[in-house]
Amino acid sequence: ATVQTMPGLPRPTAAPQMSAAPTAQAAQPTAVPQQPAAVQTTQPASGIRTLTLTIGGEIAFDSEVIAGTFNAGTGQYNLSETLSAIQHEARADAGIALMHSLPSMSAANGRAAEQAAIHDAGFQYVLLNSEKALETGENGAARMLSALQSAGVTPLGLRSAAGSGTAQTISIRGISIAVLAYTDTLSADSKKAVAVRERMVTVFNADQARQDIRAARESGADIVLVAMHWGGANDTAPTAAQRTTAQALCEAGADIIIGAHSNAVQPVEYLASAQEPGRSTLVAWSMGTLLSASRANREVVSGMLLHLTLTYDMQRRALSFASVQYTPTYCWGQKTDALYKYRVLCSAEDAPGDMIQKQREIMGRALKLIQDTMARGAAQQR
């Protein structure tokens, strides 16, 4: 896969107005709505290509997460086990992770360990569009971009200081995917970097987003994926404003919308276009949290991987969703000596042998929470 910045796309400049341990017999979600009938067309065999995407919830390398991986004997950070348990589920033609914030780490080997852990788990791309994107300043952001690239991970949603466009394209199996990434707000610390944010991060503006999608199509994009950092922290359902924004993106031509910011996983749904009957947009309202040291509520430890199998008719330039599935995940915090060691697990699988009963029960409740949430949408448990 290759990535490049699409030339000639203007940047937005204004903010928008707008119980028991789980087992193999764990309860499955109830029947979910199927893909809209208009999208389920039978395509001729020639000119059709298939690709798989896995998209993970937000990864937060908190100081507590990092501290629990430090080996005093070697003086190195070892994050290899943090995400390794989901590696078999994350593998796809392209894996995309979401990063909640850019951690400020004094040790270069710590930063390298983070990026290596992301890459080894099966994620080749990381979305960095968030309200905290510039909290480490321009130099901190530049170091993160460099560390990701050195580990073989392509950063998306945060431009280098010399970047000139909002959209980036990923080419997979000959299919061009334009990635447009926005945040609907910036933290107080990120707002301080006035000159930097104009160059590095894109604050959402509805009119500008429509222009960006149109320009991406005109530049040859087969699929348009929009990443939105939106809504409020701890929201368990999309707001009316988010639904208005998503519908506008659907009408503008977005094929997939990936949401982040809320710690909680929210359903995956199809939005039907009112202007183009038969066309729809897949929306994952919130990918939730994959990795975090926070134990504030059950939503924070409950996450998911979203698996999309896409088929694309190169002759008709028509996209179909062959399957939309998810893997429920759990962020396990295990105390070792005075520190906690954090690992992301597939919560529908058997618990590790060294997990205590209390943690098994918490993981079981986290699994049910995700299953109940996703039963209201279009994704089925893998």
Side-chain angles (χ1 to χ4, degrees):
T2 60
V3 65
Q4 64 185 23
T5 299
M6 294 186 109
L9 296 187
R11 295 193 299 275
T13 57
Q17 300 301 314
M18 342 240 253
S19 88
T23 66
Q25 288 75 39
Q28 297 295 312
T30 57
V32 299
Q34 297 300 306
Q35 184 177 335
V39 186
Q40 295 176 332
T41 56
T42 302
Q43 305 290 355
S46 61
I48 294 181
R49 299 181 184 179
T50 301
L51 66 88
T52 56
L53 297 178
T54 291
I55 305 167
E58 290 189 290
I59 295 174
F61 282 109
D62 307 309
S63 57
E64 295 90 342
V65 172
I66 301 298
T69 69
F70 185 71
N71 186 319
T74 63
Q76 300 289 315
Y77 295 90
N78 183 1
L79 279 74
S80 61
E81 292 186 355
T82 307
L83 299 171
S84 62
I86 62 171
Q87 181 182 39
H88 64 295
E89 290 289 349
R91 294 296 184 188
D93 291 327
I96 305 174
L98 286 63
M99 187 166 281
H100 178 66
S101 59
L102 307 187
S104 177
M105 297 194 61
S106 58
N109 59 18
R111 287 194 300 272
E114 292 177 20
Q115 317 326 321
I118 292 172
H119 178 272
D120 293 348
F123 300 109
Q124 300 88 27
Y125 305 92
V126 170
L127 281 163
L128 301 171
N129 56 306
S130 80
E131 86 280 11
K132 297 184 177 183
L134 302 178
E135 288 193 345
T136 59
E138 183 174 7
N139 290 336
R143 287 196 299 270
M144 175 59 73
L145 294 176
S146 177
L148 284 165
Q149 292 166 339
S150 296
V153 179
T154 299
L156 302 170
L158 189 66
R159 302 182 296 274
S160 66
S164 59
T166 299
Q168 292 170 282
T169 59
I170 302 171
S171 180
I172 308 170
R173 297 185 178 275
I175 300 172
S176 175
I177 304 176
V179 180
L180 292 159
Y182 307 97
T183 179
D184 68 355
T185 187
L186 288 171
S187 67
D189 287 340
S190 288
K191 287 180 180 178
K192 293 176 182 177
V194 178
V196 177
R197 72 172 185 254
E198 292 298 323
R199 300 194 303 270
M200 301 192 74
V201 70
T202 305
V203 177
F204 181 78
N205 175 275
D207 291 336
Q208 188 63 66
R210 281 190 285 268
Q211 294 179 35
D212 290 344
I213 292 172
R214 183 171 60 250
R217 292 293 189 191
E218 292 173 351
S219 296
D222 298 313
I223 299 172
V224 175
L225 185 154
V226 178
M228 290 294 303
H229 190 87
W230 57 5
N234 302 319
D235 286 352
T236 56
T239 64
Q242 285 175 263
R243 289 191 174 278
T244 298
T245 296
Q247 191 65 45
L249 292 170
C250 170
E251 302 301 348
D255 296 302
I256 303 168
I257 302 173
I258 300 299
H261 187 202
S262 171
N263 295 322
V265 170
Q266 296 175 11
V268 178
E269 301 174 348
Y270 287 103
L271 292 182
S273 171
Q275 299 178 11
E276 297 182 57
R279 194 183 69 78
S280 60
T281 299
L282 185 73
V283 184
W285 292 105
S286 174
M287 295 297 300
T289 304
L290 203 62
L291 172 65
S292 173
S294 174
R295 321 299 285 181
N297 52 59
R298 197 179 306 159
E299 285 80 9
V300 178
V301 299
S302 310
M304 74 167 178
L305 300 171
L306 180 64
H307 311 284
L308 305 179
T309 300
L310 311 176
T311 59
Y312 191 78
D313 188 322
M314 303 298 289
Q315 296 176 349
R316 296 177 56 225
R317 300 199 70 181
L319 171 67
S320 300
F321 293 88
S323 70
V324 179
Q325 299 177 310
Y326 75 95
T327 296
T329 63
Y330 172 67
C331 184
W332 175 32
Q334 180 186 31
K335 191 171 185 179
T336 304
D337 297 326
L339 298 174
Y340 276 89
K341 182 177 182 179
Y342 295 90
R343 280 178 277 178
V344 182
L345 308 175
C346 297
S347 56
E349 297 180 357
D350 292 338
D354 54 343
M355 180 182 283
I356 62 173
Q357 181 60 30
K358 181 179 179 180
Q359 283 288 332
R360 291 169 183 259
E361 293 171 356
I362 295 173
M363 186 168 80
R365 291 194 292 270
L367 170 62
K368 186 177 186 305
L369 177 66
I370 297 300
Q371 290 176 333
D372 290 347
T373 298
M374 298 302 287
R376 302 193 299 270
Q380 296 180 318
Q381 185 175 323
R382 181 186 264 190

